[in-house]
Amino acid sequence: MFSTTLTGDQFLQAIIETIQMVGVSLFVGSLIGIPFGILLVITRPGGVLENKAFYAILNPIINIIRSLPFIILLVAIVPFTRLIVHTSIGTSAAIVPLIIYIAPYIGRLVENSLLEVNPGILEAAEAMGATPFQVIWYFLLPEAVGSLILSLTTATIGLIGATAMAGTVGGGGVGDLAIVYGYQRFDTVVVVATVIILIILVQGIQSLGNTLARKIRRY
């Protein structure tokens, strides 16, 4: 009951694959999602660059993508994944749906963070004659940086959960070990080990995010 055929190297390889999937997906997803979040805030009614038509298009698109459970999105875009990376199995194939999943999620989190900024600060910036770009770059983003760090922390933890689900279709990483060896081969040691690994990853990232946000808010 407490033996396993897996080696330490296989566990290490799975952890590395999970970190690769989370790192690449978070980086590319942030490059897409952060601008989305900013656009949602500045084009919404009352925003510094109000554009109701643009907001009315972007807002539901993000809602539609976010309404899809990741496991369904993973399967639904298999042809697109094959087009991009020429395979639907493995770590590189899992990164494509992970980016599509996390980008709108980050966009919505960034929107919420920016909306927490005191409107009086933005009004003061506009009263001083700041351009829309200056309002965003010198007032909106600096005021929200602590909240943005916590939002990206939440997104990272969400990505870890999604990578585990990617294991159901051979996505690699810790989730793949749990499904292939733990579930399909009834290896209890693998199940327990993967759960512990995921808990350690999530707790470590949450603690790091909390510490960074707390330090930045003190300045």
Side-chain angles (χ1 to χ4, degrees), residues 60-78 97-105 158 162 165:
I61 288 175
I62 290 179
N63 285 339
I64 290 170
I65 299 174
R66 286 196 61 217
S67 65
L68 294 174
F70 178 69
I71 192 67
I72 295 176
L73 176 68
L74 188 69
V75 176
I77 66 164
V78 164
L98 283 170
I99 292 172
I100 295 175
Y101 163 76
I102 204 62
Y105 186 52
M165 283 187 277

Side-chain angles (χ1 to χ4, degrees), residues 81-109:
T81 301
R82 285 189 182 135
L83 179 67
I84 299 296
V85 295
H86 307 294
T87 180
S88 60
I89 298 174
T91 302
S92 59
I95 288 174
V96 176
L98 283 170
I99 292 172
I100 295 175
Y101 163 76
I102 204 62
Y105 186 52
I106 290 175
R108 194 60 79 188
L109 289 173

Side-chain angles (χ1 to χ4, degrees), residues 68-210:
L68 294 174
F70 178 69
I71 192 67
I72 295 176
L73 176 68
L74 188 69
V75 176
I77 66 164
V78 164
F80 178 72
T81 301
R82 285 189 182 135
L83 179 67
I84 299 296
V85 295
H86 307 294
T87 180
S88 60
I89 298 174
T91 302
S92 59
I95 288 174
V96 176
L98 283 170
I99 292 172
I100 295 175
Y101 163 76
I102 204 62
Y105 186 52
I106 290 175
R108 194 60 79 188
L109 289 173
V110 169
E111 179 194 21
N112 292 336
S113 294
L114 297 181
L115 289 176
E116 291 176 0
V117 176
N118 187 343
I121 294 175
L122 304 183
E123 291 171 3
E126 291 177 322
M128 288 187 289
T131 64
F133 174 80
Q134 290 172 327
V135 171
I136 296 166
W137 190 253
Y138 295 109
F139 295 91
L140 192 58
L141 291 177
E143 286 295 323
V145 68
S147 180
L148 288 172
I149 289 174
L150 291 178
S151 293
L152 289 176
T153 301
T154 301
T156 307
I157 292 171
L159 266 175
I160 291 174
T163 62
M165 283 187 277
T168 57
V169 294
V174 176
D176 198 37
L177 281 189
I179 296 296
V180 175
Y181 291 91
Y183 177 68
Q184 296 178 349
R185 301 185 185 183
F186 306 104
D187 192 328
T188 306
V189 173
V190 173
V191 173
V192 173
T194 52
V195 168
I196 292 173
I197 290 169
L198 290 173
I199 289 174
I200 291 173
L201 283 175
V202 169
Q203 292 299 319
I205 290 169
Q206 187 65 63
S207 297
L208 178 62
N210 289 344

